[in-house]
Amino acid sequence: MASVSIPARTEYLRHGLVSWLATVDHKRIGIMYLASTFVFFLLSGLMALVIRLQLTAPGLQIVNQDLYNQLFTMHGTGMIFLFTIPCLVGFANYFLPLQIGARDVAFPRLNALSLWLLIFAGVVMEGGFLLGILGLLPGGASNAAWTAYVPLSNKQFSPQIGMDIWLLGVVLLGISSTLGAVNFLVTAYTMRAQGMTIWRIPMFVWAMIVTAAMVLIATPVLTAALAMLIADRNFATQFFNTANARLWQHMFWFYSHPAVYIMILPAMGIVSEILPVFARKPLFGLKAVVVSTILIGVLGFTTWVHHMFVSGVDPIVERFFMLTTMIIAVPTGVKMFNWLFTMLGGSLNLKTPLLMCLGFLSTFVIGGLTGVIQALIPLDMQLHNTYWVVAHFHYVLFGGSVFGIFAGFYYWLPKITGRLLDDKLGKLHFALMWVGFNLTFFPMHFLGLMGMPRRIATYTADRGWELGNLIATIGAFMVAVSVLIFMVNFVRSLRHGARAGNDPWEGNTLEWTVTSPPPEHNFDTLPTVESERPARDLRLAASNPTVPAH
Ligand code: HEM
Ligand SMILES: [Cu+2]
């Protein structure tokens, strides 16, 4: 263990609850990020189940119209702001310093601040919602959708204090995210191991660098918009009065389209880490993967108006954004080919992490393609605000990001806990989740084409929407069961899981050269890197001492 010995009177700083509350260790902070965001995932998932139950058949009324609106608002915000974005940050907290061969992040205290801001904001938002349900908060939580469009979200239409609580929560999250981004950028820039030149940076780290840069540019715009809305609601300012209501949409989507990439790039980074290891081959076209990541980051800022095609934007402007939206499919397509060619001819190790990556590839590609279809202005006019859109973005965010997150869990949890998850249960989780996911969301494409609008609390029996909705609800419960299986697997693994050892997968990156879990200070001596696969170099050198390490 650590060579530094801590005197007995500060022992409480190493063990017990206080040690967790006071920690500035990136690994513990990472664990707390992962654990707390997973709780928010479960809460938002429960809300999705209630939404789905209500829509199972025509005319059901499990919750009333107003609670339904709160539910999808909190489901969407919870999934995006409290789960997907910060969960990926949790992985980065734990693994970015390890992967670059550093002992911590550049600003450990700032890191702790980001974590506690996130948790506090989550408690504020979910707490506001709960108080509303219990009848303690007149008017309940925000019910203006995760987009919080004005005038719907202004004082006149949403007078309830729950709306302000929600806005404050998202402001806090914005601050947390921005601070985190600064931290990751500085860490990756200044603290890389000796020899880790630009083309030797691991793919997950590259993804986080681009993601952090996007956060730094995009998130303050949303935070400012939210603060302006709070001022409009409470201090009689007029930033978003009816005459310039479209300003809200611009500010919101200037953040929220890049937010899609803030959610998908780190997941892509995870996939780019796992595929070469499980195909036992180098990543195909490493430079193309890096360049396409950067291009996606840049182009991600040029497409936001595609969310506003029906809001009366100048037609020339609309066409520009239609084209940019289609262009961004090019670097994304490049990545798809990189991944496919990485697997081609490899000897595939068909364990759960790889299956989750295959889940990512198979579903994300559908979400990408339906996105290109939606970019066509005349089609978007028809598809806008229908269940087609709900199908599309779940294929991207769930099919992409969430499958990527679970790939990350199966790949990296053994490093964190020292124990392997059970592969059979993992495969069952994967199969149920993949089938359940497609049952839930594939029919929504057709529901959308049949005219079912999103955000409706119920529907009548004469529209032909019954079958699609029934299948979707069944699928959603399959997903729920699959997540339960994952949780059982995880808890079981803590006691009964096989010991992971340092390097259960024959990994490429530096986290696999240290014990599982890693020592407090990560590395006894800081590593030197001589290729883009330093762990493999060391493994080969150890198994054949006469051959130089690379
Ligand atoms: C089993 C899992 C899930 C189910 C069954 C589900 C179901 C739904 C449904 C039915 C809606 C539409 C509500 C409506 O328009 O009335 C919805 C909205 C939404 N979902 Fe999910 N969802 C799931 C997971 C996710 C995940 C993982 C994410 C993001 C990472 C996500 C993000 C959203 C967003 C942003 C909305 C839009 C909310 C709004 O309209 O304001 N969902 N979800
Ligand atoms: Cu967009």
Side-chain angles (χ1 to χ4, degrees):
M1 263 300 283
S3 50
V4 253
S5 72
I6 295 183
R9 70 195 149 80
T10 53
E11 191 62 14
Y12 68 95
L13 285 176
R14 291 187 63 173
H15 302 286
L17 187 64
V18 179
S19 73
W20 284 88
L21 296 180
T23 190
V24 290
D25 172 12
H26 72 98
K27 295 186 290 301
R28 287 184 165 205
I29 291 178
I31 291 173
M32 287 192 276
Y33 256 100
L34 294 173
S36 53
T37 53
F38 199 81
V39 172
F40 296 132
F41 171 61
L42 295 180
L43 282 175
S44 315
L46 281 179
M47 295 177 198
L49 292 182
V50 179
I51 297 174
R52 278 309 332 157
L53 271 182
Q54 169 114 338
L55 297 177
T56 313
L60 291 183
Q61 227 221 29
I62 297 163
V63 293
N64 63 29
Q65 167 85 59
D66 184 51
L67 186 53
Y68 184 89
N69 293 349
Q70 296 178 34
L71 277 170
F72 72 67
T73 303
M74 295 304 294
H75 160 74
T77 353
M79 283 294 189
I80 287 182
F81 294 131
L82 294 173
F83 169 58
T84 312
I85 295 178
C87 181
L88 289 160
V89 169
F91 280 121
N93 256 305
Y94 200 102
F95 290 104
L96 186 140
L98 283 166
Q99 288 201 316
I100 63 171
R103 293 211 162 107
D104 207 319
V105 291
F107 308 119
R109 283 184 179 76
L110 197 64
N111 206 17
L113 178 63
S114 298
L115 168 76
W116 294 111
L117 273 176
L118 159 76
I119 293 181
F120 181 63
V123 170
V124 166
M125 291 163 75
E126 303 290 1
F129 174 69
L130 272 182
L131 289 182
I133 294 188
L134 298 174
L136 297 171
L137 203 67
S142 166
N143 56 2
W146 86 287
T147 46
Y149 274 7
V150 287
L152 188 59
S153 55
N154 69 18
K155 200 85 180 172
Q156 187 189 352
F157 294 104
S158 297
Q160 76 275 32
I161 180 108
M163 185 77 212
D164 294 291
I165 293 180
W166 181 89
L167 287 165
L168 272 174
V170 187
V171 167
L172 292 175
L173 288 172
I175 298 171
S176 158
S177 233
T178 311
L179 296 178
V182 174
N183 214 341
F184 287 131
L185 281 176
V186 177
T187 307
Y189 189 67
T190 60
M191 293 174 69
R192 298 200 307 278
Q194 208 177 359
M196 188 171 279
T197 52
I198 191 156
W199 299 116
R200 292 179 186 164
I201 297 177
M203 290 304 111
F204 178 66
V205 176
W206 260 120
M208 281 316 299
I209 293 172
V210 177
T211 304
M214 294 185 85
V215 168
L216 212 53
I217 297 169
T219 307
V221 178
L222 178 73
T223 312
L226 295 162
M228 287 152 76
L229 185 53
I230 293 175
D232 273 9
R233 290 173 55 85
N234 296 291
F235 310 119
T237 53
Q238 293 283 326
F239 293 114
F240 305 118
N241 62 24
T242 356
N244 53 4
R246 216 189 280 143
L247 175 63
W248 171 267
Q249 298 190 24
H250 278 296
M251 290 185 79
F252 179 83
W253 288 113
F254 182 82
Y255 163 78
S256 288
H257 187 81
V260 176
Y261 300 100
I262 290 170
M263 286 183 270
I264 202 72
L265 284 179
M268 289 175 160
I270 294 175
V271 171
S272 303
E273 291 288 335
I274 294 177
L275 285 182
V277 173
F278 283 76
R280 304 187 178 100
K281 273 179 65 192
L283 183 64
F284 180 88
L286 181 140
K287 289 189 181 173
V289 175
V290 174
V291 172
S292 59
T293 304
I294 297 171
L295 269 179
I296 291 177
V298 174
L299 291 171
F301 282 99
T302 63
T303 70
W304 80 91
V305 173
H306 64 207
H307 296 275
M308 300 168 60
F309 285 159
V310 298
S311 72
V313 181
D314 186 310
I316 300 290
V317 176
E318 286 190 342
R319 271 163 226 176
F320 170 82
F321 281 93
M322 171 169 97
L323 281 177
T324 52
T325 303
M326 298 184 137
I327 289 171
I328 204 166
V330 176
T332 313
V334 168
K335 279 183 181 303
M336 289 309 282
F337 284 106
N338 283 117
W339 292 322
L340 292 177
F341 281 111
T342 301
M343 287 188 289
L344 196 72
S347 97
L348 296 183
N349 180 9
L350 278 173
K351 294 260 170 62
T352 318
L354 177 63
L355 291 180
M356 288 290 173
C357 290
L358 295 178
F360 173 103
L361 296 183
S362 54
T363 47
F364 177 73
V365 76
I366 296 179
L369 289 176
T370 53
V372 180
I373 293 173
Q374 246 156 255
L376 293 158
I377 296 167
L379 279 179
D380 184 73
M381 300 274 180
Q382 299 299 316
L383 300 172
H384 186 78
N385 244 357
T386 69
Y387 256 79
W388 168 281
V389 177
V390 180
H392 157 71
F393 69 70
H394 282 89
Y395 266 87
V396 174
L397 295 177
F398 191 146
S401 308
V402 177
F403 273 91
I405 285 173
F406 278 111
F409 276 137
Y410 281 95
Y411 181 60
W412 273 327
L413 274 179
K415 176 56 59 184
I416 299 178
T417 65
R419 304 278 190 156
L420 291 172
L421 291 142
D422 183 80
D423 198 53
K424 281 208 187 70
L425 280 180
K427 282 177 174 150
L428 184 63
H429 167 197
F430 167 74
L432 266 176
M433 194 164 88
W434 195 87
V435 174
F437 166 82
N438 283 294
L439 284 180
T440 311
F441 295 107
F442 203 73
M444 289 186 191
H445 293 110
F446 300 103
L447 290 172
L449 292 174
M450 289 159 85
M452 179 167 169
R454 68 191 281 201
R455 297 169 181 158
I456 49 165
T458 190
Y459 50 92
T460 50
D462 53 357
R463 308 298 299 263
W465 302 338
E466 288 92 336
L467 182 63
N469 274 300
L470 179 64
I471 297 175
T473 302
I474 295 172
F477 278 85
M478 285 174 74
V479 173
V481 172
S482 80
V483 173
L484 280 179
I485 294 175
F486 168 74
M487 286 160 59
V488 170
N489 194 356
F490 172 70
V491 175
R492 257 190 88 235
S493 79
L494 293 178
R495 234 163 218 281
H496 306 289
R499 299 252 172 217
N502 291 8
D503 185 14
W505 316 119
E506 307 207 319
N508 291 329
T509 34
L510 286 171
E511 74 270 31
W512 305 110
T513 63
V514 295
T515 52
S516 314
E520 210 170 306
H521 56 291
N522 294 353
F523 301 97
D524 291 334
T525 46
L526 285 181
T528 314
V529 172
E530 285 165 354
S531 80
E532 82 280 6
R533 295 193 284 172
R536 179 174 178 274
D537 295 342
L538 285 174
R539 209 169 42 242
L540 292 185
S543 66
N544 190 352
T546 55
V547 177
H550 54 104

